[in-house]
């Protein structure tokens, strides 16, 4: 780059650093509930104030249709079902000639319905079949919708407290003022107030989770009631704020109207819409949901288990896409590198300190004047520089592709380039046109190895009524997002975004980041240094991570999970759990130990831990709290009893070098001396896996035999994936007395070694290792231990 460009980048940096001193969190710049009319109205309503009744129930083309009215006025109601999820829709009655059509999404299908008079009711209720175990109930008078188990126990209910309200569309009277004002901004309100609000109760729940994204605890806190800390509701309104308040109901980047509950011994349920949490002493958790517009279009997910709820939810919203294999390696990013020489110097530092990495990211200063798509760019934001000479802006203006303001003109907002317009991505044609800009043919300077960073999947406007100068947040809520369907390439900015953290904190952050599904450092101007963490542990774990991505892709179960998702009776919220693995870095300055609440797990020093349920030095019983030593060089990691985890143990610089390495298998036996696990492998870079070009193996250890079998469905035979990789080592802690292993398919005896397991502060139980069985991962085989 020319020196003039470098000077411009430096001047921008100084400007941003000065602004960072000015734009801190200012609570008064954000409306609270009392300053937001629809929120204030909804919160002021008293239980039982809804006087709605259901009339004129009929079945028409697979839909249950009914009138929902307040004795003398009407609203239309539908409800439908799919994958054991009850769908409730409430919209305007079209016969009443509303001024406009509210936004809604496509329909689903209802199976069958019956009528029944419930105990204590004078009016009938409509009973909707959901499955052999669950049914939905539409109570006619008073109006209520709930899901119950066959036999009567409720799971979820709507309007059991009578707080439902639906402000209907109407024409403006001469003396009415619909305008809403906040600070210097005025919303003219072309249409009348049209908010909706209702209560939802989760029965048998100890905690509720979800509705991200907020900088608060995983378990949502009560926002009303005696002694309640929060006085504001959790908001679902995206903000891109410079700084945010920790432990606050204010919103951040994402707004996902999905809440799920979990109760110890009572199962899991979920509710998907668009809320505040109310305390309850009646064996349930009550919530109030408020929306400024749209219709009621809600899904009830009834479980009964956490993974059932996740699958039901993802059946509606879709599962995550498979990432390319290199993307789950280590990613290096900064806002911003000064020039090509700066990028090359950072790259050389990885070589100098022998740190593996796969991707280097370029942030928004890279394109010319932040005019995205004009050079070889790795970042793109959904705003277009308002410049008549810029071809994207000219095209959007001429063809009407931009979001319009209330007067019908292209909306003019302020974002990174300055004055900006925004593509109307709710329009399918515009979405398609925008996507074409990123194609290999259209992206100027594109190469086969160029990948796009979609930095803002939602537009950011700096000069709106509730706007702060936005910068990237240094931490995303790596568990809440997973529970609400965003569990793919999501993580924190490892190392933090602003400033230089102390070495101890930086190392701790890298220890944690090594176990994120997406491992990316990102900072304002922090240089890469020595001993930043344990990236090699992350590379060791890549086969396991990639297998988990495939499970999430097909089943909807997130990669990162709270412990209660795997251990239904546990209530520990702070740790992270994948299918078989718990990782515990040290969290606080000066800490030298961690005390996880164990559930049949054990630590193996600075590597992966093993376990057994039986009473032996290799395992811990449920609910036992143990102390483990931690340091900058090592962190405890735990493996669940009864699991088998594939690894890649050779030290490599990047994922392409890992691909053809052999696999070790780590087998953590349960009390029955059994275990099982999976390995998914494809080419890691293209889409033929969708046509069956992959391997999916299941490993089962039982009665002294380790078996590998194919669990991939049959394919046409035209797109098969093959691999010459072998199993080079099988590690089985706690199994002693064996002297040889027979690979039955090849009639080959493999050597067995027995050595100590590296446990800090504990004994050294025997670890049985089968050396070089060299069986191929794509073959069926059995290894018998004698």
């Amino acid at each position: 780059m020319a020196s003039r460009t470098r000077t411009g980048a430096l001047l921008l940096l100084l400007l941003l650093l000065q602004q960072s001193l000015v734009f801190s969190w200012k609570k008064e710049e954000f409306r609270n509930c009392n300053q937001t009319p629809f929120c204030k109205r909804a919160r002021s309503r008293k239980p039982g104030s809804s006087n709605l009744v259901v009339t004129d129930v009929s079945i028409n083309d697979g839909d249950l249709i009914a009138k929902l009215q307040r004795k003398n006025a009407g609203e239309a109601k539908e409800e439908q079902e799919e994958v054991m999820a009850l769908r409730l829709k409430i919209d305007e009655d079209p016969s009443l000639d509303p001024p406009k059509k509210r936004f809604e999404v496509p329909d689903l299908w209802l199976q069958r319905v019956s009528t029944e008079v419930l105990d204590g009711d004078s009016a009938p209720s409509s009973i909707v079949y959901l499955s052999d175990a669950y049914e939905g109930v539409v109570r006619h008078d008073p109006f209520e919708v709930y899901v119950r188990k066959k036999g009567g126990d409720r799971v979820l209910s709507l309007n059991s407290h009578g707080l439902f309200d639906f402000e209907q569309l109407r024409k403006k009277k001469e003396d009415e003022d619909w305008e809403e004002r906040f600070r210097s901004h005025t919303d003219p309100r072309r249409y009348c107030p049209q908010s909706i609000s209702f209560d939802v109760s989760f029965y048998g729940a100890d905690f509720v989770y979800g509705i991200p994204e907020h900088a608060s605890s995983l378990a949502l806190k009560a926002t009303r009631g005696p002694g309640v800390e929060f006085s504001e509701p959790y908001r679902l309104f995206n903000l891109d704020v410079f700084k945010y308040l920790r432990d606050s109901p204010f919103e951040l980047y994402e707004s996902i109207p999905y809440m799920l509950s979990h109760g110890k011994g009572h199962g899991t349920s979920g509710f998907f819409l668009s809320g505040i949490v109310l305390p309850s002493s009646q064996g349930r958790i009550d919530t109030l949901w408020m929306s400024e517009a749209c219709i009621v279009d809600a899904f009830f997910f009834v479980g009964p288990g956490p993974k059932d709820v996740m699958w039901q939810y993802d059946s509606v919203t879709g599962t995550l896409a498979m990432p390319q294999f290199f993307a789950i390696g280590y990613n290096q990013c900064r806002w911003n590198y000064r020039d090509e020489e700066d990028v090359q110097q950072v790259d050389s530092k990885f070589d100098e300190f022998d740190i593996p990495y796969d991707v280097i990211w370029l942030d928004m200063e890279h394109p010319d004047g932040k005019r995205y798509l004009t050079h070889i760019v790795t970042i793109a934001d959904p705003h277009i520089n308002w410049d008549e000479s810029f071809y994207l802006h000219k095209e959007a203006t001429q063809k009407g592709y931009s979001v319009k303001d209330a007067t019908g003109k292209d909306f003019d907002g302020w974002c990174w380039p300055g004055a900006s317009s925004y593509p109307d991505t709710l329009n399918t044609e515009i979405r398609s046109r925008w996507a074409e800009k990123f194609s290999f043919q259209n992206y100027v300077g594109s190469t086969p190895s160029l990948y796009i960073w979609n930095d803002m999947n939602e537009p950011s406007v700096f000069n709106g009524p509730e706007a702060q100068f936005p910068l990237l947040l240094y931490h995303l809520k790596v568990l809440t997002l997973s529970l609400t369907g965003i569990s793919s390439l999501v993580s924190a900015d490892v190392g933090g975004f602003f400033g230089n953290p102390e070495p101890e904190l930086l190392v701790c952050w890298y220890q944690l980041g090594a176990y994120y599904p997406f491992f990316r450092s990102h900072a304002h101007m922090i240089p890469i240094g020595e001993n930043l963490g344990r990236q090699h542990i992350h590379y060791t774990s890549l086969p396991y991570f990639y297998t988990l991505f495939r499970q999430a892709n097909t089943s909807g179960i997130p990669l990162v999970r709270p412990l209660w998702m795997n251990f239904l009776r546990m209530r520990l919220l702070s740790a992270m759990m994948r299918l078989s693995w718990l990782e515990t870095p040290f969290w606080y300055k000066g800490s030298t130990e961690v005390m996880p609440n164990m559930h049949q797990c054990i630590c193996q020093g600075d590597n992966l831990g093993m376990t057994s349920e039986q009473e032996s030095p290799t395992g811990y019983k449920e609910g036992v709290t143990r102390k483990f030593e931690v340091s900058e060089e090592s962190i405890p990691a735990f493996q669940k009893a009864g699991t088998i985890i594939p690894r890649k143990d050779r030290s490599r610089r990047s994922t392409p070098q890992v691909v053809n390495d052999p696999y070790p298998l780590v087998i953590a036996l349960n009390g029955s001396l059994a275990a099982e696990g999976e390995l998914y492998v494809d080419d890691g870079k293209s889409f033929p896996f969708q046509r069956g070009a992959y391997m999916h193996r299941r490993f089962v250890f039982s009665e002294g035999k380790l078996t590998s079998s194919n669990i991939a469905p049959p394919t046409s035979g035209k797109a098969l994936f093959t691999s010459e990789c072998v199993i080079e080592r099988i590690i089985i802690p706690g199994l002693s007395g064996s002297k040889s292993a027979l690979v039955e398919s090849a009639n080959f005896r493999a050597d067995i070694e027995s050595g100590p397991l590296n446990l800090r502060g504990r004994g050294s139980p025997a670890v049985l290792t089968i050396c070089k069985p060299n069986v191929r991962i794509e073959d069926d085989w059995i290894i018998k231990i004698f």
Side-chain angles (χ1 to χ4, degrees):
M1 291 183 179
S3 64
R4 193 185 109 187
T5 305
R6 290 198 298 268
T7 303
L10 180 59
L11 290 175
L12 175 63
L13 169 63
L14 293 175
L15 173 64
L16 293 175
L17 287 177
Q18 287 178 352
Q19 287 177 322
S20 71
L21 300 176
V22 176
F23 288 94
S24 58
W25 177 271
K26 295 181 180 178
K27 190 174 182 180
E28 66 274 8
E29 294 187 2
F30 296 85
R31 292 191 296 176
N32 59 37
C33 186
N34 285 332
Q35 295 170 320
T36 309
F38 86 92
C39 182
K40 185 176 181 179
R41 292 194 301 271
R43 273 194 140 189
S44 65
R45 305 188 75 242
K46 303 298 182 183
S49 57
S50 174
N51 62 347
L52 298 170
V53 295
V54 175
T55 64
D56 302 335
V57 179
S58 63
I59 295 290
N60 182 22
D61 193 25
D63 296 338
L64 184 151
I65 302 176
K67 293 289 184 182
L68 182 60
Q69 60 187 34
R70 312 177 202 274
K71 308 297 185 182
N72 56 1
E75 299 157 327
K77 182 191 73 64
E78 303 174 353
E79 103 212 50
Q80 302 153 331
E81 176 274 341
E82 184 170 276
V83 294
M84 270 178 59
L86 178 69
R87 185 180 189 183
L88 170 71
K89 294 178 66 178
I90 301 176
D91 196 0
E92 300 280 346
D93 185 343
S95 66
L96 299 179
D97 192 26
K100 74 182 186 76
K101 176 68 177 174
R102 294 178 184 242
F103 177 79
E104 62 178 306
V105 294
D107 289 338
L108 294 178
W109 189 257
L110 178 67
Q111 289 194 6
R112 61 178 183 263
V113 66
S114 61
T115 301
E116 177 183 330
V117 177
L118 302 177
D119 291 343
D121 287 353
S122 57
S125 294
S126 298
I127 313 298
V128 180
Y129 172 84
L130 299 181
S131 71
D132 290 339
Y134 294 93
E135 57 193 8
V137 178
V138 181
R139 193 179 179 195
H140 294 191
D141 187 7
F143 166 64
E144 182 184 4
V145 177
Y146 60 89
V147 176
R148 68 181 183 184
K149 297 178 181 178
K150 291 290 181 66
D153 289 342
R154 293 190 180 197
V155 178
L156 275 170
S157 70
L158 181 145
N159 204 38
S160 59
H161 289 281
L163 289 172
F164 182 88
D165 189 47
F166 191 106
E167 295 181 326
Q168 291 184 272
L169 294 169
R170 57 186 176 83
K171 294 181 180 180
K172 190 174 184 178
K173 299 178 182 178
E174 290 186 4
D175 58 343
E176 281 191 300
D177 179 12
W178 288 348
E179 287 188 347
E180 293 185 8
R181 302 168 186 84
F182 178 68
R183 297 173 69 87
S184 62
H185 297 270
T186 300
D187 185 346
R189 290 289 175 184
R190 296 173 59 196
Y191 299 101
C192 70
Q194 50 185 304
S195 70
I196 57 175
S197 59
F198 51 85
D199 57 280
V200 174
S201 294
F202 298 84
Y203 292 80
D206 295 321
F207 302 99
V208 288
Y209 312 89
I211 57 171
E213 166 178 51
H214 306 91
S216 185
S217 61
L218 177 62
L220 298 174
K221 298 182 179 181
T223 57
R224 292 180 72 179
V228 170
E229 181 180 355
F230 292 165
S231 59
E232 288 293 305
Y234 285 103
R235 289 173 41 147
L236 294 171
F237 178 79
N238 292 2
L239 282 181
D240 190 359
V241 295
F242 170 72
K243 290 184 178 179
Y244 61 91
L245 293 178
R246 188 180 66 180
D247 209 16
S248 164
F250 270 93
E251 65 281 8
L252 300 178
Y253 279 125
E254 310 286 345
S255 294
I256 304 176
Y258 175 53
M259 183 182 290
L260 71 162
S261 72
H262 181 71
K264 189 176 180 181
H266 291 280
T268 306
S269 59
F271 182 80
F272 181 38
L273 180 91
S274 70
I276 66 173
V277 185
L278 307 175
S280 175
S281 59
Q282 304 175 31
R284 66 173 186 260
I285 292 180
D286 301 321
T287 64
L288 175 63
W289 297 70
M290 302 170 283
S291 176
E292 195 166 11
C294 293
I295 67 171
V296 177
D297 192 352
F299 292 84
F300 296 70
F301 305 114
V302 296
K307 295 174 184 177
D308 301 312
V309 170
M310 293 306 302
W311 171 239
Q312 292 158 14
Y313 171 69
D314 285 318
S315 296
V316 172
T317 63
T319 58
L320 63 85
M322 283 293 292
Q324 292 179 297
F325 190 63
F326 77 84
I328 64 174
Y330 176 60
N331 294 258
Q332 171 65 29
C333 185
R334 190 202 300 166
W335 182 39
N336 201 71
Y337 300 109
R338 294 181 293 273
D339 49 30
E340 291 96 331
E341 183 180 350
D342 191 17
V343 174
Q344 291 170 353
Q345 185 179 14
V346 170
D347 177 73
S348 68
K349 288 295 184 182
F350 281 92
D351 291 334
E352 180 181 344
F353 296 123
D354 196 29
I355 300 175
Y357 89 105
D358 269 85
V359 189
I360 196 160
W361 294 52
L362 304 181
D363 210 318
M364 68 183 73
E365 306 307 323
H366 180 67
D368 180 16
K370 300 188 180 64
R371 293 181 175 91
Y372 304 109
L373 310 180
T374 57
H375 292 284
I376 302 174
V377 186
T378 57
I379 187 173
D381 290 338
H383 48 259
I384 299 174
N385 182 221
W386 195 292
D387 185 336
E388 300 301 333
S389 64
F390 183 27
Y391 82 98
L392 278 179
H393 175 72
K394 183 183 293 186
E395 179 187 48
T397 301
Q398 292 174 348
K399 296 186 177 182
Y401 288 166
S402 298
V403 171
K404 304 295 188 288
D405 61 20
T407 67
K409 296 179 181 179
D410 286 357
F411 176 75
D412 182 0
W414 195 261
C415 202
W416 295 117
S420 303
S421 59
Y422 300 80
D424 183 6
T425 53
L426 289 179
N427 184 307
T428 55
E429 177 187 356
I430 297 173
R431 280 205 305 272
S432 177
R433 294 282 187 176
W434 182 251
E436 289 174 2
K437 305 299 180 185
F438 297 88
S439 69
F440 186 81
Q441 295 76 17
N442 295 331
Y443 200 114
V444 178
S446 187
T447 69
S449 60
L450 177 69
Y451 296 88
I452 309 302
W453 173 11
N454 185 15
D455 180 38
M456 297 176 174
N457 15 337
E458 72 287 326
S460 188
V461 184
F462 298 174
N463 60 335
E466 295 183 276
Q468 293 265 290
F469 179 78
L471 291 173
L472 295 176
L473 300 176
Y474 70 84
H475 191 68
L476 297 175
K477 291 298 289 179
V478 177
L479 279 174
T480 304
L481 290 172
S482 292
L483 290 176
T484 51
I486 304 180
S487 61
S488 185
L489 297 183
V490 173
S491 76
D493 295 334
V494 175
F497 191 75
F498 271 106
N500 291 298
E502 296 178 0
E504 184 183 34
L505 175 58
L506 186 62
V507 170
C508 177
W509 211 318
Y510 270 81
Q511 287 178 337
L512 177 61
Y515 293 90
Y516 286 155
F518 178 51
F519 185 15
R520 186 185 78 150
S521 69
H522 188 43
H524 193 232
M525 270 295 181
I526 185 172
I528 188 69
E530 191 173 6
N531 296 326
L532 290 185
R534 307 291 292 181
Q535 292 97 321
H536 67 278
I537 296 182
H538 183 85
Y539 277 75
T540 296
S541 315
L542 291 184
Y544 175 61
F545 288 1
Y546 201 62
T547 299
L548 288 174
F549 270 106
R550 179 58 172 174
Q551 293 173 353
N553 171 250
T554 56
S555 70
I557 300 174
L559 283 81
V560 179
R561 311 163 195 171
L563 281 172
W564 55 258
M565 185 164 282
N566 277 41
F567 303 106
L568 299 184
R569 295 190 300 272
M570 290 197 72
R571 300 172 65 171
L572 183 63
L573 303 177
S574 60
M576 293 192 303
M577 186 74 185
R578 292 182 176 89
L579 178 65
S580 314
W581 194 357
L582 169 66
E583 178 265 339
T584 311
F586 62 99
W587 294 98
Y588 306 105
K589 181 178 179 180
S591 58
T592 59
E593 63 185 19
V594 292
M595 299 176 63
N597 187 320
M598 304 306 297
H599 192 291
Q600 306 165 357
C601 295
I602 194 171
C603 167
Q604 184 196 356
D606 53 4
N607 268 318
L608 185 64
M610 276 66 75
T611 180
S612 173
E613 292 177 355
Q614 59 191 353
E615 290 293 343
S616 74
T618 61
Y620 296 117
K621 286 294 185 178
E622 174 186 352
V624 176
T625 299
R626 301 282 184 178
K627 292 183 180 180
F628 294 95
E629 181 182 346
V630 295
S631 69
E632 293 184 3
E633 290 76 33
S634 68
I635 55 174
F638 307 93
Q639 183 174 338
K640 180 185 175 185
T643 63
I644 300 175
I645 288 182
R647 302 199 314 200
K648 295 266 191 176
D649 281 357
R650 297 187 181 182
S651 178
R652 297 298 190 186
R653 299 299 309 281
S654 62
T655 54
Q657 296 175 316
V658 169
V659 169
N660 295 317
D661 284 348
Y663 291 82
L665 296 180
V666 182
I667 302 178
L669 301 177
N670 61 19
S672 301
L673 299 183
E676 62 180 58
E678 296 180 13
L679 172 65
Y680 172 85
V681 186
D682 59 24
D683 70 5
K685 59 185 178 182
S686 62
F687 292 99
F689 76 92
Q690 296 177 338
R691 304 190 299 273
Y694 63 86
M695 288 186 300
H696 199 174
R697 310 295 302 180
R698 171 169 290 141
F699 305 116
V700 176
F701 187 89
S702 179
E703 298 179 347
K705 287 185 178 181
L706 176 62
T707 303
S708 174
S709 58
N710 176 45
I711 56 174
T715 67
S716 63
K718 297 180 180 179
L720 294 177
F721 173 79
T722 61
S723 172
E724 295 298 319
C725 289
V726 299
I727 305 296
E728 71 167 350
R729 190 166 65 254
I730 300 169
I731 304 166
I732 314 176
L735 193 63
S736 59
S738 301
K739 298 188 177 179
S740 66
L742 174 65
V743 182
E744 292 189 349
S745 58
N747 196 27
F748 164 72
R749 286 187 180 269
D751 292 335
I752 285 184
E753 295 180 353
S754 181
L757 181 64
N758 178 19
L759 288 176
R760 296 178 179 272
R762 291 182 58 84
S764 298
V767 177
L768 182 147
T769 301
I770 303 174
C771 302
K772 298 183 179 178
N774 291 333
V775 287
R776 299 200 308 172
I777 61 170
E778 68 175 28
D779 294 338
D780 292 346
W781 42 260
I782 297 175
I783 298 177
K784 186 174 182 179
I785 300 176
F786 297 93

